[in-house]
Amino acid sequence: MNLPRAAALGLVLAAVAAMPARAADPLTVSVKRLSMETAVRIARAAVEACRAEGVQVAVTVVDRGGHPQAVLRDTLAPDVTLNISRQKAYTAMSFNAPLSSMEDRFTAPFSVGKVDGLVFSAGGLPIEVGGIIYGGIGVSGAPSGEQDERCAMAGLNAVRDDLEMAGL
């Protein structure tokens, strides 16, 4: 080993030795996930809420990774509502925000809102309870995004108390 390399190695070792001691970083992390049954309860409650308003919709519940976990399309909801509900759920989960609060956020021609797979229209909510992000819910097919969002909220509210208790 030549002298410059030895000197550099010595400096690195001295710097490492001078670092303050701290607890070891964890090797893994735990991520809470919705059970399939809970995801289906959310989707079913959202469909039922829209049915009560005389509307047939599609609902998608995605997990924390953005993967569809429960998908329901009511009998007369158009096929296109499936893709839109998935995109709403994914976007709400990704940004951890109700989409109604983001509708006008990304308006520039090349902004993040133009990325394939993202939809910024009301009807998507993050499934976030007690500071834990479980995923997202998206509803599509009602005459307005506000109505989609009310149905999504009904789905979330159907399990909110149970999720709060599970987080303890």
Side-chain angles (χ1 to χ4, degrees), residues 61-83:
V61 175
V62 298
D63 64 16
R64 186 61 183 102
H67 307 289
Q69 192 170 4
V71 179
L72 295 177
R73 183 182 63 86
D74 209 345
T75 308
L76 299 177
D79 289 345
V80 70
T81 60
L82 288 167
N83 192 35

Side-chain angles (χ1 to χ4, degrees), residues 19-149:
M19 293 176 108
R22 65 176 198 192
D25 289 330
L27 297 176
T28 63
V29 295
S30 296
V31 177
K32 293 189 180 254
R33 298 176 64 101
L34 295 175
S35 68
M36 179 189 70
E37 292 77 13
T38 301
V40 170
R41 278 178 56 199
I42 293 168
R44 183 75 186 187
V47 167
E48 293 298 333
C50 272
R51 278 184 173 179
E53 294 187 32
V55 179
Q56 297 213 351
V57 297
V59 178
T60 301
V61 175
V62 298
D63 64 16
R64 186 61 183 102
H67 307 289
Q69 192 170 4
V71 179
L72 295 177
R73 183 182 63 86
D74 209 345
T75 308
L76 299 177
D79 289 345
V80 70
T81 60
L82 288 167
N83 192 35
I84 295 168
S85 70
R86 183 191 56 74
Q87 290 176 342
K88 286 181 178 184
Y90 178 81
T91 305
M93 180 278 306
S94 295
F95 288 86
N96 193 29
L99 297 184
S100 60
S101 70
M102 302 177 71
E103 285 183 309
D104 298 322
R105 184 170 173 186
F106 301 110
T107 57
F110 300 103
S111 68
V112 71
K114 306 301 186 263
V115 173
D116 287 342
L118 298 180
V119 170
F120 291 96
S121 60
L125 296 172
I127 301 172
E128 187 268 323
V129 178
I132 299 169
I133 301 170
Y134 292 97
I137 178 172
V139 176
S140 177
S144 72
E146 291 74 22
Q147 194 171 19
D148 284 339
E149 189 164 309

